[in-house]
Amino acid sequence: MVQNNFEDIERCDYIHARSEKVEELDQLMPDDEKLYNLAELFKMFGDSTRIRILFVLFESEMCVCNIAQLLGMTQSAISHQLRALKQSGLVKYRRDGKTVYYSLADSHVRTIINQGFEHVCE
Amino acid sequence: MVQNNFEDIERCDYIHARSEKVEELDQLMPDDEKLYNLAELFKMFGDSTRIRILFVLFESEMCVCNIAQLLGMTQSAISHQLRALKQSGLVKYRRDGKTVYYSLADSHVRTIINQGFEHVCE
DNA sequence: ATAACATATGTTCAATCATTCATATGTATG
DNA sequence: CATACATATGAATGATTGAACATATGTTAT
């Protein structure tokens, strides 16, 4: 996917002057799969509906229906988003009769959102 | 935007049984503008091109042309993404003659990405 | 088994977005 | 001022996506 044809550089030649820096960068850059997964993870936080859902789950587990009520959205919309969050490993669920309770999967979720929140609140 | 018409609840009545919990949640939930900004921030991390750019800038400031070379993409594509990153306050730039050097705007960027990276690497 | 309810899923559609291409702007140099 | 180069920007386009709607699945109680 990522190609570094340093031989073909015609115009900007800054990189030639520091080719050791380039190799260093190439080594430090995580592989494509990890970068893709990282982007996919952050994509989950990049929607205000999903952010709202996660904020609700910060406080306690909650069923789909009540999350929908709290956010003023349809059950379907919430269920679809919970599915995405579940597939990304951000939330987990337990079933109790007809009801399915969702909760945060691990503490990273809190940490990441809080970091973002700090940044936004400046 | 978010409506909580708890009067109109017909089916799922769990929330009535714990209405003090609901009010608690409503108070803890940040206002719409902050939630929107938070989502916008994470949206910036939710694209592998932008993630790659930020990883490059982790190591040192770099000009548009060289970022493009390193990622194997066109100057235009990178410039467009840098614009988005700049508008979100994630990167800053300095001009030196014809060249524009971009760098990370603050340390939050590193922290947020590192947290996400930890989550992904499990 | 049937009805009622909570949740999940498939499809569709409008909106958003990342990239490309063409072109403009800004900067140094001859 | 003209040329070369680095970057920025506007328009067009194909791909992705969030939500709505209809419907299916799963669970409980009668």
Side-chain angles (χ1 to χ4, degrees), chain B residues 56-98:
Chain B
V56 166
L57 299 183
F58 268 24
E59 300 310 317
S60 73
E61 65 172 12
M62 190 160 287
C63 69
V64 181
C65 174
N66 285 168
I67 298 173
Q69 289 177 318
L70 275 169
L71 305 195
M73 297 180 66
T74 65
Q75 174 270 325
S76 177
I78 300 302
S79 184
H80 276 294
Q81 297 297 5
L82 283 170
R83 185 170 188 251
L85 290 169
K86 189 173 59 186
Q87 283 177 333
S88 300
L90 298 181
V91 304
K92 59 188 178 189
Y93 67 96
R94 71 180 175 87
R95 179 148 217 151
D96 180 17
K98 286 177 287 189

Side-chain angles (χ1 to χ4, degrees), chain B residues 1-66:
Chain B
M1 208 64 68
V2 176
Q3 300 176 338
N4 299 324
N5 296 320
F6 299 127
E7 316 306 328
D8 299 339
I9 294 169
E10 289 159 15
R11 307 198 161 190
C12 177
D13 54 11
Y14 168 81
I15 237 171
H16 285 299
R18 306 197 186 184
S19 58
E20 75 288 345
K21 186 109 218 159
V22 172
E23 287 175 25
E24 191 190 321
L25 275 168
D26 263 352
Q27 285 189 335
L28 286 165
M29 181 77 77
D31 59 76
D32 281 9
E33 195 197 343
K34 269 189 184 144
L35 288 170
Y36 177 82
N37 290 337
L38 191 54
E40 287 304 300
L41 172 68
F42 283 123
K43 224 170 266 184
M44 285 301 111
F45 298 107
D47 175 81
S48 42
T49 296
R50 286 191 295 267
I51 284 278
R52 261 187 263 264
I53 291 176
L54 293 171
F55 260 104
V56 166
L57 299 183
F58 268 24
E59 300 310 317
S60 73
E61 65 172 12
M62 190 160 287
C63 69
V64 181
C65 174
N66 285 168

Side-chain angles (χ1 to χ4, degrees), chain A residues 52 56-57 62-73 78, chain B residues 2-6 9 15 21-23 25-26 29:
Chain A
R52 263 187 261 265
V56 167
L57 299 183
M62 189 160 287
C63 69
V64 181
C65 174
N66 285 167
I67 298 173
Q69 288 177 321
L70 275 170
L71 305 194
M73 297 181 64
I78 301 301
Chain B
V2 176
Q3 300 176 338
N4 299 324
N5 296 320
F6 299 127
I9 294 169
I15 237 171
K21 186 109 218 159
V22 172
E23 287 175 25
L25 275 168
D26 263 352
M29 181 77 77

